[in-house]
Amino acid sequence: MKINSTLRLTLLLTLAVPVVAPAQTDTNNAALAAAAANAVSETTNAPDATAPASNAIPVLQIKADQVAAKVSPTLYGLMTEEINYSYEGGLYGELVRNRSFKANPTNVLFWNTVGGAAICLDTNQPLNAALNVSLKLDATKASEKSPAGIANDGYWGIPVRPSTTYHASFYARGKHFPGALTVRIESADGQKVLASATVPKISGQWRKYEVTLTTGAVEPSKENRLVISTVTPGTFFHKHGTVWFQQVSLFPPTYADRANGNRPDLMQLLADMHPKFLRFPGGNYLEGNFLWTRFNWKNTIGDVARRPGHQDDAWGYWSTDGMGLLEFLNWCEDLKMEPVLAVFAGYALRHDYVKPGPDLEPYVQEALEEIEYVTGGTNTVWGARRAQDGHPVPFALRYVEVGNEDEFDRSGSYDGRFTQFYDAIKAKYPGLQVIATAKTKTREPDVIDEHYYRSQEEMEAHAHDYDQRSRGGKTKVFVGEWATRVGSPTPNMAGALGDAAWMTGMERNSDLVIMSCYAPLFVNVSDLGKGRSMQWKTDLIGYNALNSYGSPAYYAQKMFSTHHGDEVLATDSQGIPTYTWQPPARRNRDGAAQPPPKQEVPTLFFNATRDSGSGTIYLKVVNRQGTPQPVKIAISGATAVEPEGTATVLKANSPNDTNSVQEPAKIVPVAEKADGLGTDFTREFPPYSITVLELKAK
Ligand code: AHR
């Protein structure tokens, strides 16, 4: 079946399982029964119009002597793909846009001329088979007064900071051109030179040239450009000098000083979440629209000047593949995350699937070789290649995911494709856990990847789904993409509240839900028109060329991922208020819209975990209402709880409140001393709030 990304989203939403009223569970049955009993009829589905069902104070009971489950140590991780300029124009440090001139086969995109220069693409002077085009500069009109050259504005600007060293490099060859070339970072209008260096001589053969550019006491800014220019029109005898360029690059300092590395501020935001794994390389980006635009890992390794790049047609822009397989693995290493490697499984978004059997075998082999590149010793073919690429030590790998959202392959081929991959992977790597992305019949996957993109109300209505999921088989759950899609470009407080409600459910059930990751992770917010810097709304972290910020949902997640302990405690509750929600009508086969029955949805969500080492209990409470919510908390099975603890609170005045590049810290968690705690106490939870209470129990 042919399917594009927009259609896929539509299908995803249309096919979403109808919302059912949260059912009763071991740990929360009393809460939900009480919630249903207390339901009032005059509530609405508007997030800010909810009202408690009665004046009785809800009771949360924590049974400190009953461990309901272990918290999966890998519960919170990251999902990533090239979407919304996540790497190029995002995490990947490169500042030059279209550095290899391959973004468009006929036009020189994102490059301008300065002085009287003329430029064009030239396929007659390729650098190599991968970078098989170059930029031809005619310097004939260059003069001392009017240097001629090329200029690049970067990804919506080139960020400049004071006293900072940038590394510029390019390949060039000249004809009737002796040099010199001046490399500058200058203001976009050319009025201010912020850093400058000179390459004195250009060879008649392709050579790589490298310079460092160091800024002085400049103001941080992003309205800048990189310019390479000359005052020399040509040699003494031939005043028509020509220079060809390829792989023109500018790197700022990177996280952990990695060559070809990542942007430090974004890496720090991720590091602060303490993520345990990275799911890569996609998402739709793994699949591409066609077999030949899939993430073809072999084209993403080795010298960046020999990587051909490819059209990221899932999201509509060129990728140089500077962020390749080894870069993903280095990213894991830098943040101490384990890789969750998704392998291409013979299904592209707009292409017929590859039939299981001999036709699929090359893709199975490609996946096995990819696993060998990641994990193999240097005595293996692909392990040796990884060593040659700079990383002799194999990476630890436990999880391999076969495809992405393969339920969209309506041919039903996934069962056969999964079986072929599963058998081959298990035969060669019996220790690996294999993740399926759709239901299978022939093989029981170790893990199944489930995706949820929902409104706040849907997230809340589903927050207890996993309480009822059968624990019968061996298959664990990986919630490999999820988000409350409220707010753009990044989620607002309503999004954070929906997420937090959902996370209480995943955490409570993390014997089953062993991994989860929000998606998408990143968005470049520089140009929010359709098809520009954002392809998908509601992304966890936003940035422009210079600055970055975490959304309220980012902070909600950080609160959960840094306070989860290792044991889920049994809980119970009474008197949880609810609101009435009308789930949206979905079209049936005849096109008629049928409104499903209304539902009672809790307005308060909670979960209790414990750090078995210290005894600290983490009680997470989400109040989605616009009014303060007093709650009685009763802890049984603990000898005592110290009267003082810590409350980390994320709250807003309105569910629409949000963070942005201009106001990056409008909504951030605040840790405060909490007193009056004990085995039995009442605490008021603020309107629109997410709280982690740290209780020191004995
Ligand atoms: O996260 C955005 C997209 O949503 C992913 O690429 C895809 O897997 C899903 O449909």
Side-chain angles (χ1 to χ4, degrees), residues 159-166 185 194-195 213-221 252-253:
V160 166
R161 294 185 168 81
S163 309
T164 304
T165 297
Y166 298 78
I185 304 175
L194 303 163
L213 298 166
T214 303
T215 56
V218 297
E219 286 293 313
S221 64

Side-chain angles (χ1 to χ4, degrees), residues 8 12 81 83 283-284 315 404-405 451 453 481 519-520 536:
R8 170 173 280 206
L12 194 70
E81 66 175 318
I83 181 174
N284 292 355
W315 301 113
N404 175 58
E405 292 188 343
H451 295 177
Y453 292 105
E481 291 181 30
W536 182 283

